[in-house]
Amino acid sequence: ILVMFCDEIVARKIANSRGEETIEVTTKTDNIVVVASAPSGKSVGKHEVSAFSKKGIDFSIAFVNVIGKKLCNEKTAFETFEDLGKIDILVKQYDATKNLDVVGGNAIIALQSSILKALARFYELSVWKFLVGNKKRITMPMPVGNCIGGGVHVNQKKKTDIQEFLFIPQTPSFFDAQFINTQA
């Protein structure tokens, strides 16, 4: 059985497409180097976890670097997608808040995404092929249609807390679902 161990995990600050600060994580293992980031959306719901630590993005970056060293030094094994749960267990030792106020959700997503990409490359697969596994038949996801937009993107006095309302056509045909969405 092949098992991946990380040699180095490093987080740093980058700018997203709007020029705002976010986190990028680089994972190195064997001859593999991958990078992943987690840019924040402009519209943030009141039920979402904190994007970054309440102490600031620099604290989130430092936290990921500490966790990364711990994962590498302890030779944490990664073999399946479920192994990313080891990161959640480790994070909860330091941040037991409901909204990840100490660490920040984007820090964890960037870390897990980087390790996921490294794991897929370790097995010489694309990320989506790694995620679907050995299924013999892979189907195309069905399209959904955005019928009402909400959140900060709406220019109205009374705004909804919901970002989008989506149509989910009830048809087994991708073509029919696409047609229904364009007609709605």
Side-chain angles (χ1 to χ4, degrees):
I1 295 176
L2 291 174
V3 178
M4 184 189 83
F5 301 97
C6 299
D7 295 327
E8 184 180 31
I9 298 172
V10 178
R12 69 185 186 106
K13 191 184 315 182
I14 61 168
N16 68 14
S17 62
R18 292 185 305 273
E20 299 167 346
E21 295 178 336
T22 192
I23 295 176
E24 177 181 84
V25 177
T26 302
T27 297
K28 296 178 183 178
T29 180
D30 297 322
N31 296 324
I32 299 166
V33 177
V34 296
V35 178
S37 63
S40 295
K42 193 65 175 169
S43 181
V44 179
K46 62 184 176 186
H47 301 290
E48 292 184 40
V49 299
S50 301
F52 305 109
S53 171
K54 294 292 182 188
K55 297 178 182 181
I57 189 170
D58 292 326
F59 185 87
S60 293
I61 290 168
F63 182 85
V64 170
N65 286 329
V66 168
I67 293 294
K69 283 183 183 174
K70 188 172 180 77
L71 291 169
C72 295
N73 290 342
E74 293 181 2
K75 296 292 183 194
T76 303
F78 293 98
E79 183 180 355
T80 67
F81 175 79
E82 287 75 20
D83 287 335
L84 295 177
K86 295 174 183 178
I87 297 168
D88 292 331
I89 292 167
L90 189 57
V91 168
K92 286 179 184 177
Q93 293 175 9
Y94 300 96
D95 187 348
T97 63
K98 180 180 174 185
N99 290 333
L100 291 173
D101 292 335
V102 176
V103 179
N106 281 25
I108 304 310
I109 290 295
L111 174 60
Q112 289 178 328
S113 296
S114 182
I115 293 173
L116 173 63
K117 287 171 77 172
L119 193 52
R121 185 137 346 130
F122 179 77
Y123 288 111
E124 299 179 353
L125 297 169
S126 61
V127 172
W128 76 270
K129 284 185 180 178
F130 175 75
L131 290 173
V132 298
N134 291 327
K135 294 181 181 176
K136 293 188 190 262
R137 183 172 177 195
I138 299 170
T139 58
M140 180 75 144
M142 296 300 282
V144 296
N146 187 355
C147 61
I148 301 172
V152 298
H153 303 290
V154 177
N155 191 11
Q156 294 175 273
K157 290 181 183 178
K158 188 174 183 180
K159 296 181 181 180
T160 177
D161 288 336
I162 298 174
Q163 176 71 32
E164 299 172 322
F165 295 88
L166 301 173
F167 284 127
I168 303 174
Q170 299 299 303
T171 177
S173 165
F174 184 93
F175 176 81
D176 291 345
Q178 174 67 22
F179 180 77
I180 291 167
N181 284 327
T182 59
Q183 301 306 307

